[in-house]
Every structure is written in structure tokens, then in C-alpha cells.
Amino acid sequence: APPRASLVLVVPSQKPCALPPSTQVKCCACDVAMAVVRMRGGIEVIEEARSLTGKASAGPLDRIESALGRALETGGGRTVTVDLGMARELGYYTGEILEIYEPAVGRVVGAGGRYDGLMEGFGMDVPAAGFSLYTERIHEARLEAGIDG
């Protein structure tokens, strides 16, 4: 699997989506949300999500489309997969998130995303983005590729 640029998408609903299994009520927003979080692929995934969610997801989908468009213009987008179901367990992400996947080791070697609001605890209201690389996994990938060091 190639590296993934991802977006967590929340579809607003008037009905709660945490329905007990015994409930026979169909939750349309839940169906839409479940369909969207299963979407994974190229830039076509964005239009497919738009067709299901309408205006509810316009902002997030526009941002991911813009970022992917810039990556494609520079040649980097050919190895990016949009995964609308990816979520990171850290609560300070405020926008797009990403993972860097290395086929040589078969797992993620880096991750990051948007952290707007993170610096407020230090008295600064500034937008932020960042990522970290897992050096031990990068070392594994280099060894797997036959690169010393």
C-alpha cells in the first residue's frame, strides 16, 4: 500500500448515530458516514464523498483536494492514497492527518497532521502542522533495501 494522506470527516446529523443493535430505526446520516469512512483511493474519492455528503463536508473535502492537487502538480501525489476513514487517537489534531507508509517494512514510518490550538497552552494562538518520523522503522527500511547505516 502506498503512503496515505487522510481526512477525518464528520457528517452532522439530527439523529444520534449510537443506536443500540436492537433498534430497527434506519439512521440515514449513519449510513452516509459509514459509506464515507470506507472510501479509499485517488482523487476520485473526493468527488464520491461530495456526492454523498453535499455541503456538509465541502470545507474539509476542498482542503484535501487542494493539498492533493498541489502534490500532483509537483509529482509527489502519484504515491498518495486518500483514506477518508483513517483516524489518529490523539485529540489535538484539528484538520487533515497523514501517515507515511513504507512498503519495504510493511508499516507506517511517520505520521502527523494539523495541530491548530495546540500552542494556546503556551500563550500563543498560532496555526501549526507537523509530523514525526519513526527512525527505527526507517532504519529497518534502509536495511531491507540493502542500504547500510
Side-chain angles (χ1 to χ4, degrees):
R4 301 184 299 182
S6 301
L7 164 73
V8 176
L9 178 69
V10 178
V11 180
S13 170
Q14 298 297 328
K15 297 179 182 179
C17 284
L19 297 173
S22 61
T23 304
Q24 298 300 312
V25 176
K26 196 85 165 155
C27 177
C28 180
C30 289
D31 294 341
V32 170
M34 291 305 293
V36 170
V37 299
R38 289 186 181 114
M39 292 180 183
R40 187 167 189 264
I43 199 162
E44 72 282 354
V45 166
I46 296 166
E47 280 309 313
E48 190 177 343
R50 272 195 185 105
S51 72
L52 288 176
T53 61
K55 293 180 183 177
S57 62
L61 291 173
D62 289 348
R63 286 193 304 275
I64 199 82
E65 183 176 48
S66 175
L68 185 54
R70 287 190 306 271
L72 289 167
E73 286 172 9
T74 61
R78 65 184 179 277
T79 58
V80 174
T81 299
V82 176
D83 182 348
L84 297 181
M86 188 181 108
R88 306 255 325 146
E89 58 280 346
L90 300 173
Y92 53 76
Y93 290 108
T94 58
E96 294 79 18
I97 55 177
L98 64 98
E99 290 182 337
I100 304 164
Y101 182 86
E102 173 50 58
V105 292
R107 59 186 178 163
V108 173
V109 297
R114 291 291 305 243
Y115 310 99
D116 296 344
L118 183 65
M119 298 303 292
E120 288 174 3
F122 300 99
M124 296 179 276
D125 184 18
V126 296
F131 68 95
S132 60
L133 295 175
Y134 310 140
T135 55
E136 71 284 355
R137 294 180 185 178
I138 292 171
H139 180 67
E140 274 182 59
R142 291 174 56 87
L143 290 175
E144 191 68 29
I147 302 170
D148 289 334

